[in-house]
Amino acid sequence: MATKSEVFGDSESVPNAPLAYDAISTSAASAESVQCTSRPSIFSFLWIKRTTRANVLSRVRNIVCAPDFSPSSVAQNVNDCAASLSAAEFSNLLQKRNIEDHTALYWAIVNKRREAFSALAGFISKYSSVCSSDLRLACMATSDHALFTSLNLGDNINPKDESLRRLLGCPPDEVQVHDEGDGLRKIQFVTRLRIRMFQKRLRTTQELGVEFVARGVWSLSKLFLTLT
C-alpha cells in the first residue's frame, strides 16, 4: 500500500507561524531597554544646558558686580562665557533683567566698568526694548550723557521731525552737558545745543525736541512754537 507524503521545499514557508516565546520576550526586552536608555539622555541634555546657562550667568555677575574686578581679565572671561552658549543664547542672557532685577549691562555702567560693558555689548547686535530701557536707567543713575548719546537711547520726542531730518539728510543735533553741581545737594548744569537746519525744520514741524541726561533724563520739547 502506497503512502502519500508531502514535502515542503526550501522556497515555501508556513503562513502565520507563531513566534517562539523566547523571541517575543527578547524583542519586548530590547524595545523596553531602548526606551529606558533614551529618556535619561534627554533629561541629561536639558540638565547640562540649564547648568551651563546658570554657570555663565554666575560668571557674568562676577564680571559686572564682584568687588575683585580686574580689567585685564575681562575680555578673556567674557569670551569664555560666550563660547559656552550659542550667540543667540548669550545675547538673550545679557539682555534679561536676571541680576537683581537689572541686566548685566546696567550693572556694568552703574559700577563704572567700561571694559566689561564694551566686552559684553560686543556680543549684542541689537538691543531689545527691555535692555534699552534698562540702559536709559543706568545712564540716568550715573548722569552719563556721553554714553546716553553714543548708544542712541533718546526717545523719539517728535516723530514728524525725525522723519523730516532723515529726508533732508540732516546730521544729528549736538547736545553738550556740563555738570557744574557739587555732587551733593547743589544741582547745576549747563547745556549747549546745536540744532541742525533749525529754521527749515521748525517751519515744517512747528516744534523741535531734544533729550539729554543731567541728574536724570531731561527733555526739552516744543522749544519754539512760532518762528519770528
Side-chain angles (χ1 to χ4, degrees), residues 68-201:
D68 54 341
F69 176 68
S70 175
S72 60
S73 63
V74 166
Q76 184 60 50
N77 287 336
V78 171
N79 289 337
D80 290 344
C81 291
S84 301
L85 299 173
S86 68
E89 286 177 318
F90 190 53
S91 175
N92 182 57
L93 181 141
L94 296 178
Q95 297 190 79
K96 283 193 172 182
R97 289 175 173 170
N98 45 24
I99 303 177
E100 304 297 333
D101 295 328
H102 288 290
T103 62
L105 297 179
Y106 171 92
W107 290 113
I109 295 173
V110 170
N111 292 331
K112 300 185 184 304
R113 300 184 177 182
R114 290 301 179 90
E115 298 88 354
F117 177 82
S118 298
L120 294 171
F123 290 93
I124 301 175
S125 58
K126 183 179 180 180
Y127 295 121
S128 65
S129 58
V130 171
C131 186
S132 294
S133 176
D134 216 32
L135 292 175
R136 282 173 59 88
L137 292 176
C139 291
M140 289 170 58
T142 57
S143 297
D144 195 335
H145 174 73
L147 184 60
F148 180 84
T149 302
S150 65
L151 295 177
N152 194 26
L153 296 174
D155 280 340
N156 194 353
I157 298 176
N158 187 347
K160 185 178 179 180
D161 176 61
E162 182 67 19
S163 299
L164 176 63
R165 193 173 62 80
R166 288 198 299 267
L167 180 64
L168 296 174
C170 178
D173 299 328
E174 292 183 12
V175 182
Q176 296 180 3
V177 179
H178 302 278
D179 191 344
E180 299 183 357
D182 58 6
L184 298 173
R185 295 184 177 181
K186 183 181 178 181
I187 299 177
Q188 183 176 338
F189 59 88
V190 175
T191 303
R192 293 183 173 86
L193 309 177
R194 184 178 183 184
I195 310 298
R196 311 279 186 171
M197 299 185 180
F198 174 75
Q199 293 191 17
K200 184 176 293 187
R201 289 164 58 192

Side-chain angles (χ1 to χ4, degrees), residues 12-77:
E12 298 179 5
S13 61
V14 181
N16 301 323
L19 292 173
Y21 175 78
D22 290 342
I24 296 176
S25 60
T26 302
S27 300
S30 299
E32 185 177 357
S33 64
V34 170
Q35 293 177 359
C36 290
T37 54
S38 63
R39 288 174 183 169
S41 64
I42 295 175
F43 293 140
S44 297
F45 172 77
L46 294 176
W47 181 82
I48 291 173
K49 188 173 182 179
R50 186 177 303 169
T51 302
T52 300
R53 186 178 179 89
N55 289 338
V56 170
L57 178 58
S58 178
R59 293 187 66 178
V60 170
R61 178 195 293 265
N62 289 336
I63 292 171
V64 298
C65 292
D68 54 341
F69 176 68
S70 175
S72 60
S73 63
V74 166
Q76 184 60 50
N77 287 336

Side-chain angles (χ1 to χ4, degrees), residues 7-14:
V7 179
F8 295 96
D10 291 340
S11 62
E12 298 179 5
S13 61
V14 181

